[in-house]
Amino acid sequence: KVIEFQTKNAQWEKTYGLEVAKLQNTKEKEEFDRKLALWKEGLGPNPISPIGGGYQGAVLSPTGDVHFIPATQSTAVGQKISVVGTVSTYSLVYTTGAGYNGAALAPNGDIHFVPSNARVGQKISATGTVSTYSLAYTTSNAYQGGVLSANGDIHFVPNSATVGQKISAAGTVSTYSLAYTAGQAYFGGVLAPNGDIHFVPYAARVGQKVSANGVASTYSLTYSPAGVNAYAGGVLNSAGDIHFIPFSATVGQKVSSA
């Protein structure tokens, strides 16, 4: 009887443990779905890859200051490190959940934040003044990273955006047609020696570039498996090759200067 009781009790405890685990997983999934919905509306951080410190990306200003790019609604202030290593904060004009991702330095010294969920553009002038401006296109997870072109235009790299967007050297914001769009398509970009801007494939199945004269076109990739967030960011090496930085990719991939 004692052995029988112990056996049944052990089975009950196992069953109870499994049921509790199921309930816990259900609650965790519901909480995850809630956070994901908030992120898609620009009201919270990305639960898949949360930004703990509130910043994503940085830019070196002409004065030698390094500016961190505000990425969450809780990041109510900008932050920078001076050339001598002094850390300080400054007021921002606009904040929102997953607002900006990356930035680019304009020829006049302005630092432009790249809009992800933000509904307005935001920049810091060479003298440190923060201001906003109207964008020509906004959506959730719109752009991830920016690239300064050879003619002085700043191109935002399309993530889930359906159109390209750029800021001219004179400060004019405009959109242009893309050759390929998809959810979370590209993450970061690199300027090639010939003036082409290559978007780095994240979930995209094809490569995409914008020529020096502003024409978007696609090209085949040697590695682009479905459902894989392959690369995030890229680097131009001394030979002129562009190397994509592997995120979930199992192989490296590069675009040669030839």
Side-chain angles (χ1 to χ4, degrees), residues 2 8 30 32 35 44 51 53 63 70 115 139 143 166-167 175 179 188 208 217 219 231 248:
V2 172
K8 289 182 177 180
E30 289 175 351
F32 174 83
K35 290 180 178 180
I51 304 163
T63 61
T139 191
Y143 304 94
K166 65 180 181 179
I167 304 171
T175 60
Q208 187 165 192
S217 60
Y219 55 90
Y231 305 93
S248 297

Side-chain angles (χ1 to χ4, degrees), residues 12-90:
W12 180 86
E13 287 182 345
K14 182 179 180 181
T15 301
Y16 174 78
L18 289 173
E19 290 302 316
V20 170
K22 287 179 183 178
L23 288 173
Q24 185 64 28
N25 288 337
T26 300
K27 290 179 180 179
E28 289 177 355
K29 184 181 183 302
E30 289 175 351
E31 179 63 12
F32 174 83
D33 289 342
R34 185 187 70 81
K35 290 180 178 180
L36 185 64
L38 289 173
W39 172 62
K40 288 181 178 179
E41 294 298 320
L43 300 175
N46 184 351
I48 300 173
S49 55
I51 304 163
Y55 302 92
Q56 188 154 329
V59 173
L60 180 66
S61 74
T63 61
D65 293 343
V66 174
H67 287 259
F68 301 142
I69 311 308
T72 68
Q73 193 166 14
S74 60
T75 311
V77 294
Q79 191 165 190
K80 64 180 180 179
I81 304 174
S82 72
V83 69
V84 296
T86 303
V87 180
S88 60
T89 60
Y90 52 90

Side-chain angles (χ1 to χ4, degrees), residues 21-251:
K22 287 179 183 178
L23 288 173
Q24 185 64 28
N25 288 337
T26 300
K27 290 179 180 179
E28 289 177 355
K29 184 181 183 302
E30 289 175 351
E31 179 63 12
F32 174 83
D33 289 342
R34 185 187 70 81
K35 290 180 178 180
L36 185 64
L38 289 173
W39 172 62
K40 288 181 178 179
E41 294 298 320
L43 300 175
N46 184 351
I48 300 173
S49 55
I51 304 163
Y55 302 92
Q56 188 154 329
V59 173
L60 180 66
S61 74
T63 61
D65 293 343
V66 174
H67 287 259
F68 301 142
I69 311 308
T72 68
Q73 193 166 14
S74 60
T75 311
V77 294
Q79 191 165 190
K80 64 180 180 179
I81 304 174
S82 72
V83 69
V84 296
T86 303
V87 180
S88 60
T89 60
Y90 52 90
S91 298
L92 296 169
V93 178
Y94 174 88
T95 61
T96 189
Y100 302 94
N101 193 316
L105 180 65
N108 68 349
D110 289 349
I111 295 173
H112 287 262
F113 300 157
V114 176
S116 180
N117 286 343
R119 296 302 185 250
V120 293
Q122 189 163 195
K123 65 180 182 179
I124 304 171
S125 71
T127 58
T129 300
V130 182
S131 61
T132 59
Y133 54 90
S134 298
L135 295 168
Y137 172 87
T138 62
T139 191
S140 297
N141 310 315
Y143 304 94
Q144 301 278 347
V147 179
L148 178 67
S149 70
N151 69 354
D153 292 345
I154 291 174
H155 287 255
F156 300 148
V157 178
N159 186 254
S160 295
T162 57
V163 294
Q165 189 164 191
K166 65 180 181 179
I167 304 171
S168 72
T172 302
V173 181
S174 61
T175 60
Y176 56 90
S177 298
L178 295 169
Y180 172 89
T181 61
Q184 296 188 320
Y186 302 96
F187 199 122
V190 180
L191 180 66
N194 68 349
D196 290 347
I197 293 174
H198 287 258
F199 301 150
V200 177
Y202 188 64
R205 306 303 303 280
V206 296
Q208 187 165 192
K209 64 181 180 179
V210 180
S211 67
N213 58 7
V215 178
S217 60
T218 59
Y219 55 90
S220 298
L221 296 168
T222 56
Y223 176 87
S224 59
V228 174
N229 298 330
Y231 305 93
V235 178
L236 178 70
N237 71 6
S238 58
D241 296 338
I242 293 173
H243 288 258
F244 299 148
I245 299 171
F247 186 76
S248 297
T250 57
V251 297

